[in-house]
Amino acid sequence: MVTLANDTVYGKIKKPLFQKYQLTNDTSTYPCDIRTVASYYFSKKKELYRQQTIPGDKKASFLLCIEDGKIQLYEYERTISTFSPNGGSSSTTIIWYAKKADGEMVEIKTNALMGSREKRKQHVSDLLKDNEEVYKQFLDASSFSFKTIRKLIQQYNLQATSK
């Protein structure tokens, strides 16, 4: 994990029943205040989580970072379960957020039927428009799918590091 003070600490984060989070390594166990953690890496799944504030929220959440570069792409997953006498059901909403450098976090894609698709497309356009080649691919794309967006951001980041 990386703390807000930019210290890197290696170990496993555990949450014992009725206790606070703890970080354990080969020699010690430390109390872990999750409010002081900037990011953590889940090594078994090879996933990086960073503390980010979702637009409209006051409190930060840990979001899965699925692309890291000049444009950072984050995934937020929310599952809602409902129960009734006839049984229960659940639905999962996936929302992608992106931000460029220290810019503002913006929603760019969701599988939910709510919100403005045009607004999300405009956010993607704003992120890509300073790279003429990738921006043109975005405008020419016939699909606004998760896969298409991720490929465009990957290409943007790859070209940004090679310049």
Side-chain angles (χ1 to χ4, degrees), residues 58-80:
K58 293 179 182 175
K59 196 173 172 184
S61 302
F62 283 95
L63 302 181
L64 173 62
C65 180
I66 55 178
E67 293 299 331
D68 196 15
K70 190 171 180 182
I71 297 176
Q72 298 168 0
L73 180 61
Y74 295 96
E75 182 173 281
Y76 176 71
E77 190 174 299
R78 179 176 49 212
T79 300
I80 298 172

mmCIF file of all heavy atoms in Angstrom, residues 58-80:
data_model
loop_
_atom_site.group_PDB
_atom_site.id
_atom_site.type_symbol
_atom_site.label_atom_id
_atom_site.label_comp_id
_atom_site.label_asym_id
_atom_site.label_seq_id
_atom_site.Cartn_x
_atom_site.Cartn_y
_atom_site.Cartn_z
ATOM 1 N N LYS A 58 -18.834 13.368 -1.640
ATOM 2 C CA LYS A 58 -17.951 14.150 -0.766
ATOM 3 C C LYS A 58 -16.822 13.286 -0.218
ATOM 4 O O LYS A 58 -15.753 13.768 0.097
ATOM 5 C CB LYS A 58 -18.742 14.755 0.389
ATOM 6 C CG LYS A 58 -19.733 15.813 -0.063
ATOM 7 C CD LYS A 58 -20.507 16.371 1.091
ATOM 8 C CE LYS A 58 -21.513 17.399 0.571
ATOM 9 N NZ LYS A 58 -22.378 17.889 1.618
ATOM 10 N N LYS A 59 -17.085 11.996 -0.117
ATOM 11 C CA LYS A 59 -16.151 11.063 0.490
ATOM 12 C C LYS A 59 -15.429 10.260 -0.601
ATOM 13 O O LYS A 59 -16.036 9.845 -1.587
ATOM 14 C CB LYS A 59 -16.953 10.128 1.392
ATOM 15 C CG LYS A 59 -16.171 9.349 2.370
ATOM 16 C CD LYS A 59 -17.138 8.600 3.286
ATOM 17 C CE LYS A 59 -16.404 7.637 4.171
ATOM 18 N NZ LYS A 59 -17.307 6.848 4.982
ATOM 19 N N ALA A 60 -14.136 10.043 -0.410
ATOM 20 C CA ALA A 60 -13.360 9.275 -1.381
ATOM 21 C C ALA A 60 -13.667 7.781 -1.266
ATOM 22 O O ALA A 60 -14.030 7.296 -0.202
ATOM 23 C CB ALA A 60 -11.876 9.520 -1.167
ATOM 24 N N SER A 61 -13.505 7.088 -2.368
ATOM 25 C CA SER A 61 -13.679 5.635 -2.439
ATOM 26 C C SER A 61 -12.437 5.043 -3.096
ATOM 27 O O SER A 61 -11.709 5.734 -3.794
ATOM 28 C CB SER A 61 -14.891 5.272 -3.295
ATOM 29 O OG SER A 61 -16.057 5.841 -2.809
ATOM 30 N N PHE A 62 -12.227 3.747 -2.901
ATOM 31 C CA PHE A 62 -11.148 3.077 -3.602
ATOM 32 C C PHE A 62 -11.704 2.527 -4.909
ATOM 33 O O PHE A 62 -12.614 1.713 -4.912
ATOM 34 C CB PHE A 62 -10.541 1.962 -2.749
ATOM 35 C CG PHE A 62 -9.636 2.495 -1.682
ATOM 36 C CD1 PHE A 62 -10.111 2.725 -0.408
ATOM 37 C CD2 PHE A 62 -8.318 2.798 -1.972
ATOM 38 C CE1 PHE A 62 -9.287 3.239 0.569
ATOM 39 C CE2 PHE A 62 -7.486 3.312 -0.997
ATOM 40 C CZ PHE A 62 -7.965 3.534 0.273
ATOM 41 N N LEU A 63 -11.125 3.005 -6.010
ATOM 42 C CA LEU A 63 -11.563 2.584 -7.335
ATOM 43 C C LEU A 63 -10.472 1.754 -7.999
ATOM 44 O O LEU A 63 -9.279 2.043 -7.839
ATOM 45 C CB LEU A 63 -11.868 3.797 -8.213
ATOM 46 C CG LEU A 63 -12.922 4.773 -7.716
ATOM 47 C CD1 LEU A 63 -13.110 5.900 -8.724
ATOM 48 C CD2 LEU A 63 -14.238 4.078 -7.465
ATOM 49 N N LEU A 64 -10.890 0.763 -8.761
ATOM 50 C CA LEU A 64 -9.966 -0.061 -9.518
ATOM 51 C C LEU A 64 -9.394 0.760 -10.661
ATOM 52 O O LEU A 64 -10.145 1.294 -11.489
ATOM 53 C CB LEU A 64 -10.696 -1.291 -10.061
ATOM 54 C CG LEU A 64 -9.927 -2.196 -11.017
ATOM 55 C CD1 LEU A 64 -8.695 -2.791 -10.337
ATOM 56 C CD2 LEU A 64 -10.842 -3.300 -11.535
ATOM 57 N N CYS A 65 -8.076 0.880 -10.715
ATOM 58 C CA CYS A 65 -7.405 1.597 -11.801
ATOM 59 C C CYS A 65 -7.139 0.585 -12.909
ATOM 60 O O CYS A 65 -6.320 -0.319 -12.744
ATOM 61 C CB CYS A 65 -6.103 2.226 -11.307
ATOM 62 S SG CYS A 65 -5.223 3.125 -12.591
ATOM 63 N N ILE A 66 -7.841 0.718 -14.043
ATOM 64 C CA ILE A 66 -7.679 -0.264 -15.114
ATOM 65 C C ILE A 66 -6.749 0.216 -16.222
ATOM 66 O O ILE A 66 -6.279 -0.586 -17.015
ATOM 67 C CB ILE A 66 -9.036 -0.740 -15.674
ATOM 68 C CG1 ILE A 66 -9.896 0.422 -16.132
ATOM 69 C CG2 ILE A 66 -9.770 -1.569 -14.646
ATOM 70 C CD1 ILE A 66 -11.221 -0.010 -16.737
ATOM 71 N N GLU A 67 -6.474 1.499 -16.267
ATOM 72 C CA GLU A 67 -5.458 2.052 -17.168
ATOM 73 C C GLU A 67 -4.762 3.173 -16.427
ATOM 74 O O GLU A 67 -5.417 4.032 -15.838
ATOM 75 C CB GLU A 67 -6.058 2.565 -18.479
ATOM 76 C CG GLU A 67 -6.629 1.499 -19.375
ATOM 77 C CD GLU A 67 -5.619 0.461 -19.854
ATOM 78 O OE1 GLU A 67 -4.411 0.786 -19.977
ATOM 79 O OE2 GLU A 67 -6.030 -0.683 -20.084
ATOM 80 N N ASP A 68 -3.433 3.157 -16.474
ATOM 81 C CA ASP A 68 -2.655 4.149 -15.755
ATOM 82 C C ASP A 68 -1.693 4.806 -16.732
ATOM 83 O O ASP A 68 -0.926 4.135 -17.401
ATOM 84 C CB ASP A 68 -1.879 3.475 -14.613
ATOM 85 C CG ASP A 68 -1.364 4.454 -13.593
ATOM 86 O OD1 ASP A 68 -1.823 5.614 -13.583
ATOM 87 O OD2 ASP A 68 -0.500 4.058 -12.794
ATOM 88 N N GLY A 69 -1.751 6.084 -16.834
ATOM 89 C CA GLY A 69 -0.891 6.842 -17.735
ATOM 90 C C GLY A 69 -1.301 8.288 -17.674
ATOM 91 O O GLY A 69 -1.817 8.749 -16.644
ATOM 92 N N LYS A 70 -1.098 9.008 -18.772
ATOM 93 C CA LYS A 70 -1.522 10.405 -18.794
ATOM 94 C C LYS A 70 -3.019 10.506 -18.542
ATOM 95 O O LYS A 70 -3.494 11.393 -17.842
ATOM 96 C CB LYS A 70 -1.158 11.055 -20.134
ATOM 97 C CG LYS A 70 -1.355 12.547 -20.144
ATOM 98 C CD LYS A 70 -0.785 13.197 -21.392
ATOM 99 C CE LYS A 70 -1.007 14.702 -21.346
ATOM 100 N NZ LYS A 70 -0.515 15.337 -22.566
ATOM 101 N N ILE A 71 -3.772 9.552 -19.109
ATOM 102 C CA ILE A 71 -5.195 9.420 -18.776
ATOM 103 C C ILE A 71 -5.322 8.184 -17.894
ATOM 104 O O ILE A 71 -4.872 7.105 -18.246
ATOM 105 C CB ILE A 71 -6.082 9.256 -20.023
ATOM 106 C CG1 ILE A 71 -6.019 10.486 -20.913
ATOM 107 C CG2 ILE A 71 -7.534 8.973 -19.612
ATOM 108 C CD1 ILE A 71 -6.797 10.355 -22.221
ATOM 109 N N GLN A 72 -5.910 8.386 -16.713
ATOM 110 C CA GLN A 72 -6.149 7.280 -15.794
ATOM 111 C C GLN A 72 -7.615 6.871 -15.920
ATOM 112 O O GLN A 72 -8.498 7.719 -15.905
ATOM 113 C CB GLN A 72 -5.851 7.707 -14.363
ATOM 114 C CG GLN A 72 -4.417 8.112 -14.154
ATOM 115 C CD GLN A 72 -4.199 8.806 -12.828
ATOM 116 O OE1 GLN A 72 -5.115 8.991 -12.043
ATOM 117 N NE2 GLN A 72 -2.963 9.203 -12.586
ATOM 118 N N LEU A 73 -7.832 5.565 -16.068
ATOM 119 C CA LEU A 73 -9.177 5.023 -16.222
ATOM 120 C C LEU A 73 -9.505 4.181 -14.998
ATOM 121 O O LEU A 73 -8.733 3.301 -14.610
ATOM 122 C CB LEU A 73 -9.248 4.167 -17.492
ATOM 123 C CG LEU A 73 -10.567 3.502 -17.826
ATOM 124 C CD1 LEU A 73 -11.674 4.533 -18.027
ATOM 125 C CD2 LEU A 73 -10.410 2.645 -19.089
ATOM 126 N N TYR A 74 -10.657 4.488 -14.380
ATOM 127 C CA TYR A 74 -11.086 3.813 -13.153
ATOM 128 C C TYR A 74 -12.435 3.146 -13.349
ATOM 129 O O TYR A 74 -13.279 3.644 -14.084
ATOM 130 C CB TYR A 74 -11.209 4.818 -12.003
ATOM 131 C CG TYR A 74 -9.895 5.422 -11.606
ATOM 132 C CD1 TYR A 74 -9.494 6.643 -12.112
ATOM 133 C CD2 TYR A 74 -9.048 4.765 -10.720
ATOM 134 C CE1 TYR A 74 -8.277 7.210 -11.755
ATOM 135 C CE2 TYR A 74 -7.838 5.317 -10.356
ATOM 136 C CZ TYR A 74 -7.449 6.542 -10.874
ATOM 137 O OH TYR A 74 -6.254 7.080 -10.515
ATOM 138 N N GLU A 75 -12.602 2.027 -12.636
ATOM 139 C CA GLU A 75 -13.872 1.310 -12.672
ATOM 140 C C GLU A 75 -14.486 1.300 -11.284
ATOM 141 O O GLU A 75 -13.819 0.995 -10.298
ATOM 142 C CB GLU A 75 -13.657 -0.118 -13.153
ATOM 143 C CG GLU A 75 -14.947 -0.912 -13.257
ATOM 144 C CD GLU A 75 -14.725 -2.266 -13.888
ATOM 145 O OE1 GLU A 75 -14.616 -2.321 -15.128
ATOM 146 O OE2 GLU A 75 -14.637 -3.252 -13.132
ATOM 147 N N TYR A 76 -15.760 1.622 -11.243
ATOM 148 C CA TYR A 76 -16.538 1.580 -10.001
ATOM 149 C C TYR A 76 -17.684 0.615 -10.231
ATOM 150 O O TYR A 76 -18.414 0.724 -11.221
ATOM 151 C CB TYR A 76 -17.057 2.977 -9.667
ATOM 152 C CG TYR A 76 -17.953 3.028 -8.451
ATOM 153 C CD1 TYR A 76 -17.442 2.847 -7.179
ATOM 154 C CD2 TYR A 76 -19.313 3.264 -8.587
ATOM 155 C CE1 TYR A 76 -18.258 2.909 -6.061
ATOM 156 C CE2 TYR A 76 -20.145 3.324 -7.470
ATOM 157 C CZ TYR A 76 -19.609 3.144 -6.217
ATOM 158 O OH TYR A 76 -20.417 3.195 -5.123
ATOM 159 N N GLU A 77 -17.815 -0.339 -9.342
ATOM 160 C CA GLU A 77 -18.871 -1.347 -9.468
ATOM 161 C C GLU A 77 -19.799 -1.235 -8.266
ATOM 162 O O GLU A 77 -19.350 -1.209 -7.134
ATOM 163 C CB GLU A 77 -18.221 -2.730 -9.516
ATOM 164 C CG GLU A 77 -19.163 -3.834 -9.883
ATOM 165 C CD GLU A 77 -18.435 -5.156 -10.066
ATOM 166 O OE1 GLU A 77 -17.565 -5.246 -10.944
ATOM 167 O OE2 GLU A 77 -18.761 -6.081 -9.302
ATOM 168 N N ARG A 78 -21.092 -1.153 -8.554
ATOM 169 C CA ARG A 78 -22.079 -1.030 -7.490
ATOM 170 C C ARG A 78 -23.141 -2.109 -7.709
ATOM 171 O O ARG A 78 -23.746 -2.192 -8.778
ATOM 172 C CB ARG A 78 -22.715 0.359 -7.529
ATOM 173 C CG ARG A 78 -23.764 0.586 -6.481
ATOM 174 C CD ARG A 78 -24.305 2.003 -6.499
ATOM 175 N NE ARG A 78 -24.676 2.386 -7.848
ATOM 176 C CZ ARG A 78 -24.584 3.632 -8.318
ATOM 177 N NH1 ARG A 78 -24.131 4.589 -7.571
ATOM 178 N NH2 ARG A 78 -24.947 3.920 -9.548
ATOM 179 N N THR A 79 -23.365 -2.935 -6.672
ATOM 180 C CA THR A 79 -24.374 -3.986 -6.748
ATOM 181 C C THR A 79 -25.517 -3.625 -5.809
ATOM 182 O O THR A 79 -25.292 -3.300 -4.648
ATOM 183 C CB THR A 79 -23.778 -5.351 -6.363
ATOM 184 O OG1 THR A 79 -22.713 -5.648 -7.257
ATOM 185 C CG2 THR A 79 -24.820 -6.447 -6.448
ATOM 186 N N ILE A 80 -26.719 -3.674 -6.339
ATOM 187 C CA ILE A 80 -27.914 -3.391 -5.548
ATOM 188 C C ILE A 80 -28.738 -4.671 -5.488
ATOM 189 O O ILE A 80 -29.066 -5.259 -6.513
ATOM 190 C CB ILE A 80 -28.737 -2.242 -6.168
ATOM 191 C CG1 ILE A 80 -27.903 -0.959 -6.189
ATOM 192 C CG2 ILE A 80 -30.038 -2.042 -5.416
ATOM 193 C CD1 ILE A 80 -28.543 0.177 -6.942
#
